[in-house]
Amino acid sequence: MKETILRNFELCERGAVFTPENITRMKQGRSPLVPSGTYAGQNYDVDHIIPVREFPDLGRELANLIYLPAHVNRSKGADIKQRALDLSTKLAAAGILTPDDIKRLHQVRQWGESTSPVAQSNLPSSSRTVNLNTASASSIEALPGIGPKTAAKIIAARPLKGIADLDKVPGIGAKAIEALRDIVSF
């Protein structure tokens, strides 16, 4: 936990989070803003390294948090990154995760879809569906009529609340929406 907190502190220092303006924003309960560079003016976000949709118990684990500009945070998608695998090893050594948890994390990384009973219970039917809010780009590309560019646009439009939200994604027409209706979830 100490290592992660110190890393996040370093990221905040490098990102100029502790400017007088940002400290004022934080005292008001607002997110600090990125002061310069590519993401200037965007909020900073805190997110989980290991997705809590798979491991809800890690939702309050400080070692599982990362501090990023909002655009970077949202564009990273639901894919399991090497950082999550590295952290899972440390959490297993600390007794927080079990070997079965580590195995499940590797399965999610490989297949890009949830294996969690918690996440699976949110699916609309017993048939296999792809959750457009959590699936990897490759899983979305495997859907009928969806290529890499459209998959990227779907990921950029997250979170999606329902099938009607697909109408707002450039490159997806009424025909594609009908083809996806029974095979996607949100």
Side-chain angles (χ1 to χ4, degrees), residues 69-154:
H71 178 78
V72 174
N73 193 19
R74 288 181 179 86
S75 67
K76 71 182 178 70
D79 294 341
I80 306 295
K81 306 290 187 215
Q82 186 62 44
R83 178 180 296 156
L85 298 178
D86 294 343
L87 177 61
S88 70
T89 303
K90 292 175 183 177
L91 294 177
I96 296 171
L97 291 178
T98 67
D100 286 341
D101 292 332
I102 303 296
K103 181 179 176 183
R104 193 175 74 204
L105 187 65
H106 281 273
Q107 288 173 334
V108 173
R109 183 177 192 208
Q110 179 181 1
W111 298 107
E113 297 172 4
S114 176
T115 58
S116 163
V118 172
Q120 288 294 328
S121 67
N122 294 329
L123 296 178
S125 70
S126 61
S127 66
R128 182 181 165 107
T129 61
V130 174
N131 186 317
L132 294 180
N133 287 319
T134 61
S136 66
S138 60
S139 294
I140 296 172
E141 288 172 30
L143 294 168
I146 305 296
K149 289 181 181 178
T150 305
K153 291 175 185 174
I154 290 171

Side-chain angles (χ1 to χ4, degrees), residues 9-27:
F9 183 79
E10 289 174 17
L11 288 172
C12 290
E13 280 190 323
R14 276 191 271 147
V17 170
F18 303 123
T19 64
E21 296 83 15
N22 277 336
I23 289 173
T24 299
R25 289 180 63 80
M26 290 186 281
K27 285 179 179 178

